[in-house]
Amino acid sequence: MATAAAHQTARTHGSAGQEGDIDADDTYQRVFDATVAADERIEPRDWMPDAYRATLVRQIAQHAHSEIIGMQPEANWITRAPSLRRKAILMAKVQDEAGHGLYLYSAAETLGASREDLLDKLHTGRQKYSSIFNYPTLTWADVGAIGWLVDGAAITNQVPLCRCSYGPYARAMVRVCKEESFHQRQGYELLLALSRGTTEQHAMAQDAVDRWWWPSLMMFGPPDDESAHSAQSMAWKIKRHSNDELRRRFVDICVPQAESLGLTLPDPDLKWNEERGHYDFGPIDWTEFKEVLKGNGPCNEQRITQRKAAHDEGAWVRESAAAYAAKHSTRTGVEQA
Ligand code: FAQ
């Protein structure tokens, strides 16, 4: 059992004692394990295993990248929204996604990652973003389907992350989930309006759901027996549930909602299983998922090209903001303090 003094030292030191100091390493590890076991938070200044830090940077960066790449498919419809009201809602939603990216890159920075480096890894394909954003938005109804299904899947995955063992990530998720929940409702409301509209509008809504359903199920990641990181991430309480568990939960939520929308889900095997207390569903095309991850989805190339162009075109904004901050900090004496 670690002493209180050792506990404090271990919790507030960025690295584990002197090189070769096995006792200190041991104590730090025990304090870390005890903190996680007690469902307390690991904070940026606490000691943590290198692999825990690396896993968090990987997941948070991938999450941040998904938020900013995820702006593209919906932004595609801002200029063609069917009314001023719909345009204002959509602009606010896309802007929210940029904000989520910001919280998440900031959370990654608390682990020692550099934002510039993370963006470079995204642009050069060394870090991933969610598979879902490699599909095209072909009609206005896709905006509704993304809100309902993609934001719905995101919330199902992210609500448990509010209890993630790493403090800054968990706290960022609280706000993100509140906003995603609003996004999900606007998507549902949009689809409901189309579903109850003309025959053509109903068909458009159904077509969008048909195209987004299976990719939304893939968002939860590979099946549990193929998930490389789940076991360790769950032991560290970064992830609280497995990929398949969350996928099942999402299907259970969506089936009654689809019925209320007057739309069907494109799966003939979808059926309530009394014994399991869940819906059974058909096989997911994991070959498609793997192809999308390899860069062969319908929009992978377009998404990265557009992201890089936006980054290059925005260089002057970043430079101006940095110059302003430097000038401001000199004037207020922050630099001398
Ligand atoms: N796409 O061992 P696991 C949103 C990768 S936010 C791409 O199971 P893990 C908001 C995985 O990284 C959506 N890659 O991995 C919004 C790993 O590869 P690596 C994003 C995927 O980390 C809405 C490999 O497969 N949400 O939508 C995917 O334990 C509307 C093995 O997988 C998050 O990022 C995938 N779908 O579990 C924005 C949530 N799935 O890294 C705009 C946080 C797996 O070894 C509009 N992340 N991979 O090269 C997580 O919860 C987890 O990272 C999982 C994957 C569950 C995604």
Side-chain angles (χ1 to χ4, degrees), residues 10 15 23 34 43 131 142 150 157 160 195 198 255 261 275 277 282 310:
S15 62
D23 284 352
E43 296 296 340
S131 50
D142 288 22
V150 176
N157 168 271
S195 178
T198 63
V255 175
L261 280 168
E275 209 174 297

Side-chain angles (χ1 to χ4, degrees), residues 58 62 97 128 131 157 180 219 221 227-229 239 243:
R58 177 188 63 80
Q62 180 178 314
E97 309 300 357
K128 297 186 170 76
S131 50
N157 168 271
E180 301 287 31
M219 283 176 73
S227 167
H229 306 293
K239 284 169 85 161
N243 299 355

Side-chain angles (χ1 to χ4, degrees), residues 58-59 62-63 66-67 70-71 74 93 97 128-131 133 146 150-151 154 157-158 161 169 180 218-222 227-230 233 239 243 289 293:
R58 177 188 63 80
Q59 177 167 328
Q62 180 178 314
H63 195 165
S66 304
E67 298 284 356
M71 296 165 73
E74 290 178 285
K93 180 186 190 294
E97 309 300 357
K128 297 186 170 76
Y129 58 90
S130 181
S131 50
F133 300 116
I146 290 181
V150 176
D151 285 276
N157 168 271
Q158 286 163 208
L161 290 176
Y169 190 29
E180 301 287 31
M218 294 173 194
M219 283 176 73
F220 295 92
S227 167
H229 306 293
S230 278
S233 289
K239 284 169 85 161
N243 299 355
F289 175 74
L293 257 58

